Amino acid sequence: SGNPPPPPAEKYEYQAEVSRLMDLIVNSLYSNKDVFLRELISNASDALDKLRYLSVTDSQLLKEAVDLDIRIQTDKDNGIITITDSGIGMTRQELVDCLGTIAQSGTAKFLKAVKESKDAGTDNNLIGQFGVGFYSAFLVSDKVVVSTKSPKSDKQYVWEGEANASSYTIREETNPENLIPRGTRLTLYLKRDDKGFAHPERIQKLVKNYSQFVSFPIYTWQEKGITKEVEVDEDPVEA
Ligand SMILES: CCNC(=O)[C@H]1O[C@@H](n2cnc3c(N)nc(I)nc32)[C@H](O)[C@@H]1O
């Protein structure tokens, strides 16, 4: 076909503080892995808040006419969870700035706070307070893929990171099946021992626990493995 091949994925090293932070989060929160869903829903909710706030002065941001919601899909056959928000999305540079680096001050304060906190319980809350919850995805995932489309860029970008890795990659999304109009879709490839999180009833229970303060609807779907049949629940988990 006439289309030029897509540019190759680019490899980035995490800033040292980020690597240290990921190790700390994975080692200190292993006892209560459930927190990953609360953190990722919180990030999705923040992204929707940002869009709603910015659209007040720039209605163009809503031209992609998609509802403001969070969709969680579980594929229990393959141990995969996807969390999609129709929020503001990230540009390539924002992916680097937001997921590959962290403000030194934030890290130092977080590390100090965790050291001072008595037990894992307080750690869970600290992770949310310091906005570093994204990395809790690696509590339950071998690999995390973030596919994101911002109104500020005409391309959709795919960030890919693996547990215990010192680097991550970013490439352009070229598969039409994966394109989203705006927002961010996280795909979690669950660890062998954590595939239970992809069971719909377990996700629904966690969503009910963690979503009471989320001001956007959260829908959960069960993906029927290779048939890709999508069964919509009788009624969405209204926030
Ligand atoms: C410390 C890890 N960094 C983040 O979680 C940041 O990444 C960005 N992020 C994470 N999930 C996101 C999401 N779903 N949408 C958007 I817009 N930004 C997101 C936000 O800037 C977070 O503060």
Side-chain angles (χ1 to χ4, degrees):
S1 71
N3 299 339
E10 273 193 63
K11 189 173 174 187
Y12 298 80
E13 293 297 314
Y14 286 110
Q15 182 196 32
E17 280 82 2
V18 170
S19 297
R20 207 168 62 230
L21 185 67
M22 281 194 281
D23 291 347
L24 184 105
I25 287 171
V26 173
N27 297 327
S28 72
L29 295 180
Y30 62 90
S31 56
N32 177 7
K33 294 188 170 192
D34 293 5
V35 294
F36 83 93
L37 195 69
R38 177 190 69 195
E39 296 308 319
L40 298 182
I41 288 177
S42 165
N43 285 343
S45 174
D46 290 349
L48 288 159
D49 276 335
K50 269 182 212 160
L51 178 84
R52 192 160 57 182
Y53 172 74
L54 292 172
S55 66
V56 167
T57 50
D58 177 0
S59 58
Q60 271 291 40
L61 289 173
L62 294 173
K63 74 176 186 300
E64 298 299 347
V66 286
D67 297 331
L68 300 189
D69 58 31
I70 300 171
R71 297 159 182 245
I72 301 176
Q73 202 161 309
T74 53
D75 176 349
K76 65 179 190 302
D77 301 335
N78 300 305
I80 296 173
I81 298 176
T82 59
I83 301 169
T84 306
D85 68 65
S86 47
I88 191 74
M90 287 173 274
T91 62
R92 182 193 202 53
Q93 191 55 45
E94 283 166 340
L95 277 169
V96 175
D97 297 343
C98 297
L99 296 181
T101 54
I102 181 165
Q104 267 86 335
S105 60
T107 324
K109 275 193 223 144
F110 178 73
L111 297 175
K112 184 166 167 288
V114 168
K115 283 199 177 58
E116 285 162 4
S117 74
K118 294 289 163 285
D119 55 40
T122 41
D123 290 7
N124 290 351
N125 304 328
L126 285 174
I127 193 169
Q129 280 167 31
F130 284 83
V132 295
F134 170 79
Y135 301 121
S136 63
F138 288 109
L139 284 167
V140 296
S141 313
D142 285 324
K143 182 165 88 167
V144 176
V145 177
V146 180
S147 191
T148 184
K149 170 69 177 68
S150 159
K152 291 177 275 185
S153 65
D154 54 7
K155 293 195 177 73
Q156 184 172 325
Y157 292 101
V158 185
W159 179 99
E160 206 163 297
E162 299 192 351
N164 310 313
S166 63
S167 64
Y168 58 92
T169 61
I170 298 178
R171 59 181 165 79
E172 285 174 27
E173 179 63 81
T174 51
N175 179 344
E177 279 180 21
N178 296 338
L179 293 178
I180 50 178
R182 184 195 67 225
T184 299
R185 180 185 59 236
L186 261 72
T187 304
L188 307 180
Y189 295 88
L190 298 174
K191 292 177 189 286
R192 187 168 47 85
D193 299 343
D194 294 311
K195 292 198 188 294
F197 281 108
H199 282 255
E201 58 283 350
R202 184 157 183 200
I203 278 290
Q204 274 164 23
K205 184 166 150 288
L206 288 179
V207 167
K208 279 196 173 64
N209 290 353
Y210 290 138
S211 64
Q212 68 264 40
F213 303 115
V214 174
S215 60
F216 299 97
I218 302 178
Y219 303 98
T220 59
W221 271 266
Q222 176 184 341
E223 172 101 13
K224 288 224 177 307
I226 51 170
T227 58
K228 294 282 174 228
E229 221 175 279
V230 174
E231 171 191 296
V232 184
D233 295 340
E234 58 287 348
D235 67 289
V237 177
E238 277 299 336

